[in-house]
Each structure stands twice: as C-alpha cells, then as structure tokens.
Amino acid sequence: MTTGVRRRMGVEERRQQLIGVALELFSRRSPDEVSIDEIASAAGISRPLVYHYFPGKLSLYEAALKRASEDLAARFVEPPEGPLAGRLLRVMARFFDFVDEHGPGFAALMRGGPAVGSSATNALVDSVRQAAYDQILAHLKVTEPPARLELAVRSWISLAESTALIWLDGRRIPRTELEAQLVHDLAALIAVSAAYDDEMGALLRRILKDEPADGPFADLVGRLITLAS
Amino acid sequence: MTTGVRRRMGVEERRQQLIGVALELFSRRSPDEVSIDEIASAAGISRPLVYHYFPGKLSLYEAALKRASEDLAARFVEPPEGPLAGRLLRVMARFFDFVDEHGPGFAALMRGGPAVGSSATNALVDSVRQAAYDQILAHLKVTEPPARLELAVRSWISLAESTALIWLDGRRIPRTELEAQLVHDLAALIAVSAAYDDEMGALLRRILKDEPADGPFADLVGRLITLAS
C-alpha cells in the first residue's frame, strides 16, 4: 500500500515536472517550434516516457497553458486597500512581468495558430479574461455591472492584451510607461462612456472621489486640461 | 479554343457562386456547424461537385473569408474630405454594417477555434487589421508613425473588434452609440498618450485644430469638462 501511494505520488510529480519543463520551452519559443523530443531531452527522460504521461504535444501544451493561466490569474489578485489607480498599477506591473517571462509563448497564443487554437486553449484564455474582469469589478465595488461598464472593462482587457503584444514586438516603448498608460486608458474609456450616459457618469464620480489629489488619475486630468487649453 | 475559354469562365463562375453561398452560410452560423452537404444543397449541386472545386471545407472557408476580408477592407476607404471625426464615424457605421451582416461568422472567426485558426485565416484577419491601420494613418496624414501612435491606433483596432464582439453578444447597447463611442475612444487613447509625450501632444493638437467647434470631438471635450467640474 505504501509503495502504491509512493508510485501515485511519483506519477503526479513527474507530470508536474514535465509541465514545468514544457512551460519553460513553450514560453521561450512559439509552441509550434517545440518538439516532444526537445521536451523529453530537457526533462532528462525518453520520448516514449513523455507519451506515457501525456498522449501528445497538445495535451502537454494545454497542461502548461493551464498552469500559466492560473499563475497569471493569481497575479491579478490585489488587496482592496488604498487608491484604486495604485492598485491597478501594481496589477499592470505583474501583468507585464508575466508577459516578459512568457513572451514568445504569450504572443503565439494570443495571435492564434494551428497548435494553439483548440477549444480547450480558448477556454483557458477566456477564463483568465474572466478572472481579470471579476477582479476589476470587485475593486470597483460593482456586483451588477450595467452593460456599458461591462463593455468598457471587457474591451479594455483586450486593449491590455494588444498593448502587451505590440510591446513584445520590438519593445520600443518602456513597459513602465505602458503600465501607467493602461491604467489611464481604463479611466479614459469609462470617461468616454460616462460623457454620454448618466449611470456611467455617477460611477466615474464615485471612483474619482476616493482618488488622491496627487494620484495617477488626477495627474492625467491635469495634463489633459493643460493639453486642451 | 472558344469552348476552352467558355469552360474556364464556367469554372470560375461556379467557384464564385460557391464562395457566395458558403459565405452566406458561414456568416449566419458558426463555421464549425456548417457542413459541405449543406453548402452543396444551398448551391443546388452535388457534394462531390463541391469537392471538385474546393478540396475541403477549410479551403472553401478560406475563400469565403478572403471575399469577406476584401469587402470589409473596402468599407474602410473614405474620401479624405471634411472633418476627421465625421469620416471615422462613417467608417464605423460601415464596420458595424459588416458585423451585423456577418455576425455569427465574425464572432466565430474572432474568437478562434478549430475550424478558423489556420495560418491562412490568421493572415487574412491580419491583412484587414493592416488595411484599417493604413487608412487611419493616411487620414491622420502620417507616413512615419512614432511608436506611440502605432500603439494607439493598433490597440484601438483591437478595441473596435472586441467592442463589436461584445455588441453581438446580446446587442444590449444601440450600435449607433457604439459607433460614436469608438470614434471618441480613439481620440481618448491618443489623448492619454499625448498627456505624457510631446510628439503625441503635437499630433493631437494638429488633429483637433481642423475639427469643427460643433463636431464630435469638441462635444466630447465639452462633456468631459462638465463631468470633471
């Protein structure tokens, strides 16, 4: 019985090791370019043994993506304390850390393609988007979002994804600038909606009310007023 | 020789007819759910004859997507006359026309999936994004975009895509409101970047200089000032 338990533990440990090795390789190069032979070699085991744990490259890719998805979703979690812009800025820094660590794999995943377009991978990507959405609503203290807020937040999430993808392509703009810009972008998208909708206007006023006079939102408004004059 | 020419014309006409029938079906339902049998039936020909013109569903899907891509890219073309916001608003109306006409197919394509994630379909989607990008730069009269402008425009294009996808999912916000909002969003994203970058600031001033005092951009600025006070 003891041996049985040890053997089952060993299987799970080996699976976890393979997932870690695969995630490392899938992060550094496009998943299309990573072979099972390479994963086996990096893990120090034989190719048939890899197939013993995972039926094929796609299942190993999906397991690696699942781990990466959970890792990213965990980085979205931020204590609901202090000014909102500051919280969001810290989350953006962790998001760019993740993008930096998994660059080529992130780009290949988000741009789609033969190895990454399965319904399982799409579901994982959607689960991360949903985690981001849920976190933002929680920080905004909104439980039943009006359609215009849902649109602003969800479309901003895709804006954040594309901003990260464009950053990866040459890194021509410092990432700290983009982290701050994305925080401002969310405020700007909500403001544009608020300019034409009273419910969104009330929401925006409530958000800004608690922001410090020397915080990122006040700084943006000040600069925009200077720019407009 | 005359017969030969007629026969080649016939083949091309039949291909074009099949593409039209397939595009109609792929637009109304997720491409995964459309069968070759159904396409054959809608075209009034046999299933083997469909395969005579297209080796499989994917090649027919790609041909239909190519036609739709060219159609959409053509809708981006707008004469470089009159205020910029008005031009962009007209393009947005045609974009939403397209999304409306091809709803389920557009959603399936943009959300990815087994039938739609080939490298050929990704290349077609990218070509439409590039066409949109080129048109916007031409209207802004910019030939060598700074990195921050490229980021603002390209990330706005993904914002427009996700806004259209969210609209399709329940149509809870009137599309005319979203068409205007997207025009404002582009200005807002450029303004956020301009608040922290002199080159973008100069660009924004040049854009706004030619906009009418009663146009969409002036209206937004006026409303935002009211909201901020």
Side-chain angles (χ1 to χ4, degrees), chain B residues 34-189:
Chain B
V34 177
S35 69
I36 287 282
D37 280 328
E38 210 173 339
I39 294 167
S41 165
I45 63 176
S46 70
R47 179 187 165 91
L49 200 53
V50 174
Y51 283 113
H52 175 73
Y53 293 102
F54 293 93
K57 197 172 101 173
L58 182 60
S59 74
L60 187 46
Y61 177 71
E62 286 172 0
L65 184 60
K66 186 162 188 290
R67 184 185 285 182
S69 301
E70 288 163 358
D71 170 19
L72 179 53
R75 299 189 199 206
F76 295 153
V77 180
E78 172 72 24
E81 287 148 25
L84 202 60
R87 293 182 220 169
L88 198 52
L89 195 57
R90 287 189 289 277
V91 172
M92 285 298 97
R94 293 198 295 269
F95 171 59
F96 271 84
D97 284 344
F98 177 91
V99 171
D100 198 11
E101 288 161 27
H102 301 279
F106 177 81
L109 174 66
M110 302 314 292
R111 296 187 52 77
V116 296
S118 78
S119 51
T121 59
N122 285 336
L124 281 169
V125 171
D126 278 344
S127 74
V128 176
R129 289 179 180 141
Q130 185 63 37
Y133 177 72
D134 292 342
Q135 284 294 327
I136 291 170
L137 286 199
H139 282 281
L140 294 178
K141 291 183 190 150
V142 172
T143 45
E144 292 183 18
R148 286 167 184 80
L149 180 63
E150 178 168 351
L151 175 76
V153 176
R154 289 198 192 274
S155 63
W156 175 81
I157 290 168
S158 82
L159 186 83
E161 290 169 17
S162 60
T163 297
L165 279 173
I166 293 165
W167 174 69
L168 279 176
D169 185 15
R171 306 192 180 203
R172 291 181 293 155
I173 306 173
R175 55 169 271 194
T176 49
E177 181 181 329
L178 297 182
E179 293 162 11
Q181 185 173 298
L182 280 168
V183 175
H184 289 144
D185 285 343
L186 179 58
L189 294 180

Side-chain angles (χ1 to χ4, degrees), chain A residues 111 126 148 177 196 219, chain B residues 111 126 148 177 196 219:
Chain A
R111 295 187 53 76
D126 279 344
R148 286 167 183 79
E177 181 181 328
Y196 293 88
D219 187 58
Chain B
R111 296 187 52 77
D126 278 344
R148 286 167 184 80
E177 181 181 329
Y196 294 88
D219 186 58

Side-chain angles (χ1 to χ4, degrees), chain A residues 171-191:
Chain A
R171 307 193 179 203
R172 290 182 293 154
I173 305 173
R175 53 168 272 194
T176 49
E177 181 181 328
L178 297 182
E179 292 161 12
Q181 184 173 298
L182 280 167
V183 175
H184 289 144
D185 286 343
L186 179 58
L189 294 179
I190 291 176

